[in-house]
């Protein structure tokens, strides 16, 4: 049959973030799927290198709007490792608490989005209504609904009072009851089961080969979770199960996320019960001694990784972020091979993608010449100035101002 | 039992319940106690150490000396990311968070708020 290549995005009404996909179709069947990242590059790593560690905590928090706490914790952990600070126990517990609350809100959000992508909008409305319970708890604990700003190098900024602990426990009961109801819906509502089963299959072998992480990998039977395998914060002191599933499809991913919700409630109950008394922050000098560290964190979407290199000053020399979606996006092409076009939205949504967090580095190659070489920073700078001049935009004034401001 | 319409009962139940949404902006939204909203400045407490400027991740705050031990503060609400690091950094408690969050303006210069040492807040023209 005749093959058609359809570009989806970078600007497309169905996409929440600008991203470019190219789908080769034969009739309704997908022959090839490829994703092109790079439309959301914000230069956060570079910006981190130009700010102090104190400021970077807030910057890394803004890598992702949903797993903001994941990124800031991952970054602070790396810095704390380099500076060899002992973070107070209570602070670690509070970090774990906020981290799990974040997982709850993220998974409930995902459940709604997944419902929406398969046309089950009732599920979207009800899960998002119930998600408000955990959003309110986060707002109460940290001040704001998103970008909690709770981390600092050396501890956390806000303590948890006894009343708040009580409110958290109460909210957990409500949420647990609701989640059990959604599990019932997911396992008994035949339209949902039929729509999700056998869609977006990723075999155990492929999941390992493509390096999938988080619920995407666990739904293909990969028993991996940083919280258990390399415990950080207070995870070594709580008991929980790592949920896996062997459906290998979107339905399996739904079950894994819902199972994880129940585990999160139990983790939070244990955390609240066990939370030790004491200080919530230790003083860390502004200058971090030279050294490097890699830190891992199990974000709601999978393993998040930060690398920090310090050079003895107030600012890091290098910060590298590997968001979970980057590890998972490769699997989508595999999942869509020989599948129907109509499955595309839900299969992409099932990895719970977050493209803004994924866009880290844009490699720009000199075009027009035979020789292909990677541009250096200065060359890129001059290239961009001449490019815009040719297009009638002059940045000379702005450049001068920038140079002055940076001095 | 596996069957369709599993959520039907829930949906019908909801008809008789109050809506889950609030009628903002007609009903005011109440912010939590620790909310990080608009930052305000108390000129009488400031000693001009500029720690707030040094720690602000967005470069949104400016402290200027206008006289002997007198300082004024300019906060660019458009740049501010409401992290309240400046409040934590200030040892003299000259900065404070408020619950104010409706800060949108139609003109960019309206977002620059200057707290004068003598008169308090005046927006830039
Ligand atoms: S940190 Fe406080 S005392 Fe120091 S300049 Fe800023 S507002 Fe003034
Ligand atoms: S709240 Fe944060 S961004 Fe705003 S002025 Fe203070 S330190 Fe700067």
């Amino acid at each position: 049959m005749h093959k058609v290549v359809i570009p989806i995005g970078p600007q497309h009404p169905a996409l929440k973030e600008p991203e470019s996909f190219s789908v080769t179709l034969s009739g309704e069947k997908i022959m090839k799927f490829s994703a092109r990242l790079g439309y959301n590059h914000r230069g956060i790593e570079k910006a981190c290198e130009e700010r102090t560690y104190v400021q970077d905590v807030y910057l890394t928090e803004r890598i992702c709007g949903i797993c903001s706490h994941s990124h800031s914790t991952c970054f602070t952990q790396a810095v704390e490792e380099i500076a060899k600070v002992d973070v107070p126990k209570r602070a670690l517990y509070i970090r774990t608490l906020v981290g799990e609350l974040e997982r709850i809100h993220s998974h409930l959000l995902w459940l709604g989005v997944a419902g929406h992508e398969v046309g089950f909008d009732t599920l979207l409305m009800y899960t998002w209504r119930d998600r408000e319970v955990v959003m309110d708890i986060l707002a109460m604990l940290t001040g704001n609904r998103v970008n909690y700003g709770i981390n600092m190098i050396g501890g956390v900024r806000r303590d948890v009072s006894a009343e708040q602990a009580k409110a958290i426990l109460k909210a957990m009961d409500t949420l647990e009851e609701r989640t059990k109801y959604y599990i019932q819906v997911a396992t008994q509502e035949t339209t949902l089961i039929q729509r999700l089963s056998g869609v977006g299959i990723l075999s155990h072998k492929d999941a390992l080969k493509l390096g999938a992480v988080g619920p995407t990998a666990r739904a293909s039977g990969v028993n991996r979770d940083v919280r258990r395998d390399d415990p950080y914060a207070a995870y070594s002191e709580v008991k929980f199960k790592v949920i896996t599933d062997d459906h290998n499809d979107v339905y399996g991913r739904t079950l894994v996320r819902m199972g994880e919700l129940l585990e999160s409630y139990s983790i939070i109950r244990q955390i609240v019960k066990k939370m030790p008394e004491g200080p919530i922050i230790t003083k860390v000098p502004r200058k971090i001694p030279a050294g490097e560290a890699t830190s891992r964190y199990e974000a709601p979407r999978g393993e998040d990784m930060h690398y920090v290199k310090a050079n003895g000053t107030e600012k890091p020399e290098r910060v590298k972020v590997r968001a979970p979606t980057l590890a998972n996006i490769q699997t989508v092409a595999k999942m869509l091979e020989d599948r129907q076009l109509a499955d595309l939205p839900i299969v992409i949504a099932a990895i719970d993608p977050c493209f803004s967090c994924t866009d880290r580095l844009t490699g720009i190659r000199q075009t027009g010449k035979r020789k292909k070489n990677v541009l250096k920073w200065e060359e890129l700078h001059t290239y961009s100035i001449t490019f815009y001049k040719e297009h009638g935009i002059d940045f000379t004034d702005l450049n001068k101002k920038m140079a002055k401001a940076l001095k | 039992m596996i069957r369709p319409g599993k959520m039907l009962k829930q949906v019908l139940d909801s008809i008789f319940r109050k809506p889950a949404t609030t009628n903002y902006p007609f009903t005011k939204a109440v912010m939590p106690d620790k909310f990080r909203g608009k930052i305000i400045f108390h000129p009488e407490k400031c000693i001009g150490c500029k720690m707030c400027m040094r720690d602000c991740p967005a470069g949104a705050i400016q402290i200027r000396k206008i006289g002997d031990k007198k300082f004024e503060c300019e906060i660019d609400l458009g740049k501010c990311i409401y992290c309240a690091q400046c409040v934590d950094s200030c040892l003299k408690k000259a900065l404070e968070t408020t619950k104010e969050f409706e800060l949108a303006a139609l003109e960019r210069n309206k977002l620059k708020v200057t707290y004068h040492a003598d008169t308090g807040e005046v927006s830039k023209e």
Side-chain angles (χ1 to χ4, degrees):
Chain A
M1 203 187 236
H2 190 64
K3 273 189 201 149
V4 188
V5 182
I6 300 186
I8 303 178
Q11 301 295 341
H12 192 273
L15 295 173
K16 277 118 200 146
E17 293 170 278
E19 218 53 61
S20 169
F21 304 115
S22 148
V23 195
T24 313
L25 289 176
S26 165
E28 288 266 309
K29 217 181 201 183
I30 298 173
M31 309 299 285
K32 195 167 160 265
F33 170 89
S34 69
R36 192 179 160 197
L37 305 175
Y39 293 93
N40 266 322
H41 186 62
R42 291 170 291 168
I44 284 196
E45 289 175 0
K46 187 74 193 162
C48 276
E49 288 156 24
E50 262 147 39
R51 282 174 174 75
T52 63
Y53 291 99
V54 179
Q55 298 170 325
D56 283 347
V57 177
Y58 302 105
L59 194 58
T60 49
E61 192 168 55
R62 280 155 179 82
I63 290 174
C64 182
I66 310 274
C67 25
S68 60
H69 182 72
S70 307
H71 283 285
S72 75
T73 312
C74 203
F75 177 77
T76 40
Q77 274 175 187
V79 178
E80 281 155 5
E81 195 182 315
I82 302 172
K84 298 194 178 62
V85 265
D86 262 329
V87 183
K89 264 265 164 73
R90 193 174 171 85
L92 292 178
Y93 270 76
I94 294 175
R95 273 185 196 170
T96 315
L97 176 68
V98 177
E100 284 309 311
L101 287 169
E102 184 179 75
R103 191 180 318 279
I104 295 169
H105 104 69
S106 173
H107 280 359
L108 283 174
L109 176 117
W110 178 84
L111 191 59
V113 171
H116 173 71
E117 296 294 359
V118 297
F120 193 1
D121 278 308
T122 315
L123 190 64
L124 165 77
M125 297 296 167
Y126 284 92
T127 43
W128 281 35
R129 181 194 69 188
D130 296 332
R131 177 171 164 264
E132 282 306 303
V133 177
V134 65
M135 296 310 279
D136 286 346
I137 292 287
L138 280 166
M140 177 192 78
L141 280 180
T142 66
N144 294 41
R145 284 162 61 95
V146 280
N147 293 335
Y148 320 112
I150 192 127
N151 278 324
M152 253 186 159
I153 310 266
V156 292
R157 295 167 79 194
R158 286 157 200 258
D159 207 350
V160 177
S161 70
E163 283 153 50
Q164 287 172 338
K166 233 184 253 160
I168 295 171
L169 290 179
K170 209 174 133 223
M172 286 309 113
D173 292 341
T174 326
L175 286 168
E176 181 160 14
E177 189 202 312
R178 294 302 302 166
T179 308
K180 283 189 175 150
Y181 172 74
Y182 292 125
I183 291 180
Q184 254 183 31
V185 172
T187 49
Q188 295 178 5
E189 166 70 53
T190 136
T191 51
L192 195 67
I193 301 172
Q194 305 261 338
R195 182 67 186 89
L196 300 182
S197 298
V199 170
I201 289 184
L202 181 73
S203 68
H204 180 76
K205 227 169 90 196
D206 285 335
L208 287 174
K209 202 171 86 191
L210 295 167
V213 292
T216 311
R218 288 195 282 274
S220 293
V222 182
N223 196 347
R224 230 180 245 170
D225 193 318
V226 185
R227 293 177 290 170
R228 180 200 58 198
D229 303 339
D230 182 12
Y232 52 89
Y235 284 109
S236 52
E237 286 160 42
V238 291
K239 280 200 192 75
F240 62 95
K241 278 199 300 251
V242 173
I243 309 287
T244 54
D245 195 273
D246 47 17
H247 277 85
N248 299 356
D249 53 10
V250 179
Y251 186 56
R253 275 157 233 154
T254 314
L255 294 183
V256 166
R257 289 200 173 90
M258 294 218 243
E260 279 182 12
L261 279 175
L262 291 182
E263 288 306 310
S264 288
Y265 304 143
S266 123
I267 294 175
I268 288 173
R269 288 200 185 104
Q270 296 174 48
I271 289 281
V272 170
K273 216 166 96 195
K274 283 192 189 165
M275 198 181 288
E277 291 299 319
I280 55 165
I281 190 150
T282 43
K283 218 165 159 33
V284 180
R286 285 172 166 269
K287 285 190 178 149
I288 304 291
E292 52 182 353
T294 308
S295 145
R296 303 202 286 161
Y297 184 104
E298 187 72 27
R301 285 156 181 74
E303 182 190 325
D304 180 23
M305 200 209 85
H306 282 222
Y307 165 80
V308 180
K309 187 172 176 196
N311 54 7
T313 61
E314 281 186 6
K315 296 173 183 173
E317 186 165 312
R318 179 81 178 98
V319 177
K320 163 82 196 139
V321 178
R322 205 291 322 266
T325 304
L326 188 66
N328 279 334
I329 190 75
Q330 274 85 310
T331 63
V332 175
K334 189 89 211 160
M335 291 177 196
L336 284 171
E337 249 170 42
D338 281 341
R339 294 282 149 186
Q340 300 290 318
L341 179 63
D343 289 346
L344 185 123
I346 181 64
V347 170
I348 296 181
I351 67 161
D352 206 355
C354 194
F355 293 113
S356 301
C357 333
T358 306
D359 265 345
R360 284 284 77 83
L361 181 113
T362 314
I364 296 186
R365 285 166 196 281
Q366 238 169 347
T367 47
K369 284 181 198 160
R370 279 271 170 77
K371 202 174 66 185
K372 276 191 176 172
N373 64 321
V374 177
L375 293 188
K376 295 245 174 54
W377 181 251
E378 292 80 23
E379 289 162 349
L380 183 64
H381 189 119
T382 8
Y383 174 75
S384 71
I385 292 173
T386 41
F387 174 87
Y388 280 110
K389 259 201 191 134
E390 277 165 21
H391 288 73
I393 307 166
D394 195 355
F395 280 132
T396 332
D397 275 1
L398 194 70
N399 273 318
K400 273 188 201 144
K401 264 191 211 160
M402 282 283 281
K404 226 167 111 194
L406 287 175
K407 250 177 220 161
Chain B
M1 191 181 50
I2 296 190
R3 59 177 167 81
K6 178 74 195 162
M7 286 187 83
L8 203 61
K9 191 167 167 284
Q10 175 103 84
V11 174
L12 293 176
D13 271 357
S14 303
I15 297 176
F16 304 103
R17 293 225 197 131
K18 269 201 307 196
T21 47
T22 53
N23 201 13
Y24 181 81
F26 304 107
T27 344
K28 275 267 171 255
V30 188
M31 291 298 118
D33 285 341
K34 294 174 183 172
F35 186 72
R36 305 184 302 271
K38 183 180 174 182
I39 309 287
I40 51 166
F41 176 68
H42 302 292
E44 67 285 358
K45 291 186 192 158
C46 178
I47 54 163
C49 68
K50 298 196 176 168
M51 284 309 280
C52 48
M53 271 172 77
R54 192 171 163 192
D55 280 346
C56 175
I61 190 164
Q62 294 286 334
I63 301 283
R64 279 189 295 261
K65 188 168 180 173
I66 50 156
D68 189 31
K69 283 185 189 162
K70 269 190 181 171
F71 300 93
E72 68 173 21
C73 166
E74 182 189 301
I75 298 183
D76 190 335
L77 298 179
K79 276 189 188 170
C80 180
I81 57 170
Y82 306 97
C83 60
Q85 175 61 42
C86 50
V87 179
D88 285 7
S89 293
C90 179
L91 296 171
K92 293 290 161 195
K93 295 199 168 56
L95 292 158
E96 200 189 333
T97 52
T98 60
K99 291 190 185 180
E100 212 182 317
F101 67 95
E102 288 158 318
L103 304 171
L106 286 174
E107 279 162 58
R108 199 179 289 178
N109 50 18
K110 290 244 169 68
L111 290 169
K112 281 196 178 159
V113 179
T114 310
Y115 295 89
H116 293 296
D118 321 300
T119 47
E121 177 184 327
V122 180
S123 283
K124 263 201 175 171
E125 62 325 319

